[in-house]
Amino acid sequence: MDAAGHRPRTVVSGGPLELAVMWLGFPLVGAGVGWLLAASTGWLARLPWVPFADLVEWLDRLPEPQATGGTIAVGVLAGLVVAGLGTAERLIVTVDAAQVRLRRADQDRAVARVDTRVAFLADKHLVLLDGDGTELVRESTDLPAAALAEAFRAHGWGWADDDPHRSAYRLWVPDLPGLPAGADALLRARARAIERDRRDDARELRRELALIGVVLRDEGKRQYWRLTARAVTPGPEQPTSAERESDGR
């Protein structure tokens, strides 16, 4: 603790070992794949079903040692590209008594403890909820649950070992009653985005649903939903979005 009695902030990340694995391991694996490809081009060129047959035959015609050196160099370059992408996607979580900071290469955001009721790790996502059950944060991560739990609890944050609302989720099917107006159309659009692997669209539609009080959990391509305390659902005199569409209103 410092002179004021505060614990020093806690940083949870993959650490230097993770960086070493990515920046040394991936290029080495790429070099190995490149060498193996160069060593087996003659055999691969004789297979009638091999993919990229023209490329394999071209490699087989190259003189040595240029062919082996070239494929190894390409493999190393590919490994470096993968390492760069992995580094950019690393989540670094910094926790203190006042806030949690979440950093990736393309973003840096902070969430105040006073706004957060509970944090937990579910389905390889770090999630923070407010008092109404709305998601303040949902970040994909491979960070260990034990390290995250220790960091949050050490600074007095609420931490749960699993989603405290897991039993409240329901499987979404089209025209399901009980959803806020407009939610069914957004869920239909998001189902199409998931089917087409359009991840940015799916994330944006998740945010739109959160604005009307719908929280989602995905299992494969299936969407499960629950409502927050501030969600406004149709009353007895208010038709659902699906009912309005069928009535032409």
Side-chain angles (χ1 to χ4, degrees), residues 26 28 49 51 53 60 122-124 139 216:
F26 287 144
L28 286 174
W49 49 264
D60 189 44
D123 306 320
K124 291 194 173 184
E139 290 285 350
L216 300 180

Side-chain angles (χ1 to χ4, degrees), residues 119-130:
F120 56 91
L121 193 67
D123 306 320
K124 291 194 173 184
H125 285 79
L126 175 62
V127 182
L128 274 63
L129 302 181
D130 68 10

Side-chain angles (χ1 to χ4, degrees), residues 106-194:
D106 61 342
Q107 69 177 33
D108 188 346
R109 61 180 299 194
V111 179
R113 177 183 165 192
V114 69
D115 296 328
T116 307
R117 179 175 64 86
V118 66
F120 56 91
L121 193 67
D123 306 320
K124 291 194 173 184
H125 285 79
L126 175 62
V127 182
L128 274 63
L129 302 181
D130 68 10
D132 290 324
T134 300
E135 289 184 351
L136 301 172
V137 164
R138 172 174 282 269
E139 290 285 350
S140 61
T141 180
D142 289 322
L143 294 172
L148 289 168
E150 182 180 355
F152 279 92
R153 286 170 173 159
H155 294 281
W157 291 65
W159 178 268
D161 292 328
D162 195 6
D163 186 346
H165 298 282
R166 184 171 287 273
S167 62
Y169 286 91
R170 300 170 60 189
L171 176 64
W172 173 76
V173 293
D175 302 331
L176 188 71
L179 284 163
D184 192 72
L186 290 170
L187 284 161
R188 288 172 186 267
R190 190 169 185 271
R192 290 193 295 270
I194 292 172

Side-chain angles (χ1 to χ4, degrees), residues 14-208:
L17 179 61
E18 182 182 61
L19 289 174
V21 168
M22 287 193 293
W23 288 101
L24 295 177
F26 287 144
L28 286 174
V29 170
V33 172
W35 176 85
L36 184 62
L37 177 61
S40 58
T41 51
W43 173 70
L44 290 173
R46 293 193 295 272
L47 298 177
W49 49 264
V50 67
F52 307 109
D54 292 341
L55 177 60
V56 171
E57 290 177 4
W58 177 76
L59 289 173
D60 189 44
R61 291 195 298 267
L62 290 178
E64 291 292 350
Q66 290 89 338
T68 299
T71 53
I72 289 176
V74 171
V76 170
L77 181 61
L80 290 172
V81 170
V82 172
L85 293 174
T87 300
E89 285 298 310
R90 292 175 78 229
L91 180 66
I92 301 174
V93 180
T94 305
V95 189
D96 61 32
Q99 67 175 17
V100 57
R101 184 180 177 191
L102 307 164
R103 286 182 292 157
R104 295 190 194 271
D106 61 342
Q107 69 177 33
D108 188 346
R109 61 180 299 194
V111 179
R113 177 183 165 192
V114 69
D115 296 328
T116 307
R117 179 175 64 86
V118 66
F120 56 91
L121 193 67
D123 306 320
K124 291 194 173 184
H125 285 79
L126 175 62
V127 182
L128 274 63
L129 302 181
D130 68 10
D132 290 324
T134 300
E135 289 184 351
L136 301 172
V137 164
R138 172 174 282 269
E139 290 285 350
S140 61
T141 180
D142 289 322
L143 294 172
L148 289 168
E150 182 180 355
F152 279 92
R153 286 170 173 159
H155 294 281
W157 291 65
W159 178 268
D161 292 328
D162 195 6
D163 186 346
H165 298 282
R166 184 171 287 273
S167 62
Y169 286 91
R170 300 170 60 189
L171 176 64
W172 173 76
V173 293
D175 302 331
L176 188 71
L179 284 163
D184 192 72
L186 290 170
L187 284 161
R188 288 172 186 267
R190 190 169 185 271
R192 290 193 295 270
I194 292 172
E195 187 67 31
R196 297 169 185 172
D197 200 28
R198 294 162 58 179
R199 299 181 183 181
D200 290 342
D201 290 348
R203 281 193 292 267
E204 181 61 30
L205 288 163
R206 175 191 285 274
R207 287 191 288 267
E208 290 295 320

